[in-house]
Amino acid sequence: MPIKVNGARLWENLMQMAKIGGTAKEGCNRQALTDLDIKGRALFSDWCRKIGLQIQYDAVGNMFARLDGRDNHLNPLVIGSHLDTQPTGGKYDGVLGVLAGLEVMTRIVEEKIIPERPIEIACWMNEEGARFAPAMMGSGVWAGMLDLGEVRASIDLEGISVGIELDRHGYSSHPDPQDKDIAAYLELHIEQGPVLEAEGKDVGVVTGAQGIRWYDVVLTGQETHAGPSPMAMRHDPMRLVPALVQGILEIGTRDEAARATIGQVHTAPFSRNVVPGKVVVSVDLRHPNEQVLQSMHDDLATLVSELTGEDRKLTSILEEIWHSPVVAFDAGLVTSIRRGAKELGYSYCDIVSGAGHDSLMVARKVPTAMIFTPCRDGISHNESEHIEPHQAEAGANVLLAAVLDYLGS
Ligand SMILES: [Zn+2]
């Protein structure tokens, strides 16, 4: 019989943690580096110390709870996620991965298993990016994708910087994040989408993550009074918007996996009785295949370049803002997760992550994989985010199986 987690204990811990920063609508507000975030971490640390784990930090506020192995010169296997939430976040996004990590570790201790190498639970700093941008801050600095100095300068709406908060909580004196070596990383997370629930699966085997490309399409014309200027004599960039929007949404329908989103349309000046001189349309393109994403990019570039047609006083420019390449998780770890799900008798399917996760940063440096748990109606970043106890338990059991598989190999 495989060793299994204690699902009731995991659930109890999730409910305890949810009280810290708990909102009236049964969600959580535990934003990064606030006093509530630190309080949540203190509760987690207490639980970890009770089972004999040592707590370590780095200078960007990442926290690691370590169980020594037989050979402590070997780099640790790390499991985890994040404890910070959105301002109106739920009880499970991130928290499930950290507390499932604790449950896995607790079972290993209870079974008196001495792992061949150390195991650590990671609690990455500011995954959400709600209070401080960008998201995935702690894991990004660890992975060398973000600069510690720049991250320290990031400020919240009150003008308080990450650096001030790291100093205030005593994190700054800890070692440079990039000094820490990790052998491999596993993360359990809620899906934050509707696929697993719709397919009736217990767990998702995450094979990688969509590539993401962000753009502004900048349309310019001539700003003029809404009354005196006849329609035919205007150079109104708003005229280009319908064809642009339609073209962009079509790019998102090229296959099942493609996504195209227009989340923002800004006009300038923002006035109801002025023909705008400028319209900026945001574009978010995603695809799990980098070549297809590139051809979506090419289609967008062609669309934008052909948009203005005859009117020489209108211009359309495509500005690329961000490109996060496709991430493929480690084939060995993905196989191990799939095997674990199968041996435990859970229904499962492969899935690609559509959201950002610490794993995407960590995967740039070391073998990484993720397990997803379904969430009700695919809703997250919302106080009504919900999973069932048996779903949390299934995810944690698969995580435990993958951990034991890795350590045994
Ligand atoms: Zn998350």
Side-chain angles (χ1 to χ4, degrees), residues 81-82 84 93-95 127-128 187 189 192 356-358 381:
S81 195
H82 59 97
D84 69 306
D93 175 355
V95 188
E127 191 277 343
E128 295 290 358
E187 180 170 355
H189 204 282
Q192 303 182 278
H357 293 292
D358 293 311
H381 287 190

Side-chain angles (χ1 to χ4, degrees), residues 86-406:
Q86 291 286 329
T88 51
K91 299 194 274 289
Y92 311 100
D93 175 355
V95 188
L96 175 65
V98 174
L99 298 187
L102 173 67
E103 179 55 35
V104 163
M105 208 75 117
T106 304
R107 291 298 294 124
I108 287 172
V109 170
E110 284 172 346
E111 294 289 326
K112 299 189 172 58
I113 297 168
I114 315 271
E116 50 124 12
R117 64 175 66 236
I119 316 175
E120 298 182 6
I121 310 166
C123 178
W124 303 102
M125 193 279 287
N126 186 26
E127 191 277 343
E128 295 290 358
R131 183 182 175 200
F132 299 109
M136 297 171 272
M137 193 174 258
S139 53
V141 172
W142 175 82
M145 305 294 287
L146 296 174
D147 177 75
L148 179 56
E150 284 173 24
V151 155
R152 285 181 61 90
S154 174
I155 54 168
D156 68 7
L157 291 174
E158 265 126 55
I160 300 169
S161 71
V162 169
I164 287 173
E165 291 292 64
L166 290 173
D167 292 351
R168 181 168 77 93
H169 298 307
Y171 292 135
S172 304
S173 57
H174 289 284
D176 187 308
Q178 292 196 52
D179 289 350
K180 183 179 186 68
D181 290 319
I182 289 176
Y185 179 67
L186 292 166
E187 180 170 355
L188 170 66
H189 204 282
I190 60 168
E191 180 199 345
Q192 303 182 278
V195 175
L196 295 176
E197 185 181 60
E199 307 235 322
K201 304 295 185 192
D202 298 317
V203 287
V205 181
V206 190
T207 55
Q210 295 170 338
I212 307 171
R213 294 179 86 156
W214 281 359
Y215 311 85
D216 276 341
V217 180
V218 182
L219 309 172
T220 54
Q222 197 171 50
E223 210 173 294
T224 184
H225 196 298
S229 328
M231 298 303 280
M233 293 173 73
R234 296 179 181 189
H235 305 286
D236 182 357
M238 191 56 86
R239 260 200 357 245
L240 308 176
V241 171
L244 178 67
V245 168
Q246 195 185 0
I248 292 167
L249 296 181
E250 262 165 35
I251 290 171
T253 61
R254 64 178 295 144
D255 64 35
E256 281 257 306
R259 309 275 188 270
T261 303
I262 301 158
Q264 299 172 330
V265 179
H266 291 289
T267 61
F270 190 62
S271 171
R272 69 172 66 240
N273 57 355
V274 178
V275 175
K278 188 169 164 182
V279 178
V280 181
V281 177
S282 74
V283 186
D284 175 313
L285 297 182
R286 299 181 189 222
H287 201 282
N289 178 308
E290 198 66 42
Q291 277 93 38
V292 180
L293 186 60
Q294 178 61 38
S295 87
M296 291 166 71
H297 164 91
D298 295 343
D299 289 353
L300 178 63
T302 306
L303 173 70
V304 171
S305 71
E306 291 173 353
L307 204 59
T308 55
E310 303 287 277
D311 190 339
R312 296 270 166 88
K313 286 212 171 142
L314 290 177
T315 63
S316 59
I317 296 168
L318 181 66
E319 292 176 352
E320 181 154 9
I321 291 172
W322 185 53
H323 181 181
S324 172
V326 168
V327 174
F329 285 144
D330 181 77
L333 292 177
V334 171
T335 305
S336 166
I337 289 168
R338 204 179 283 124
R339 192 166 53 227
K342 189 174 178 189
E343 285 173 5
L344 289 159
Y346 292 125
S347 60
Y348 60 94
C349 64
D350 285 3
I351 187 167
V352 172
S353 175
H357 293 292
D358 293 311
S359 282
L360 308 193
M361 290 293 180
V362 179
R364 312 264 178 213
K365 241 171 122 175
V366 298
T368 297
M370 287 186 88
I371 303 156
F372 276 172
T373 278
C375 58
R376 188 176 66 198
D377 300 328
I379 287 170
S380 84
H381 287 190
N382 188 314
E383 290 159 287
S384 65
E385 181 182 277
H386 181 78
I387 63 173
E388 295 295 331
H390 70 89
Q391 294 171 325
E393 182 176 342
N397 270 327
V398 175
L399 178 65
L400 175 59
V403 166
L404 294 175
D405 192 31
Y406 183 86

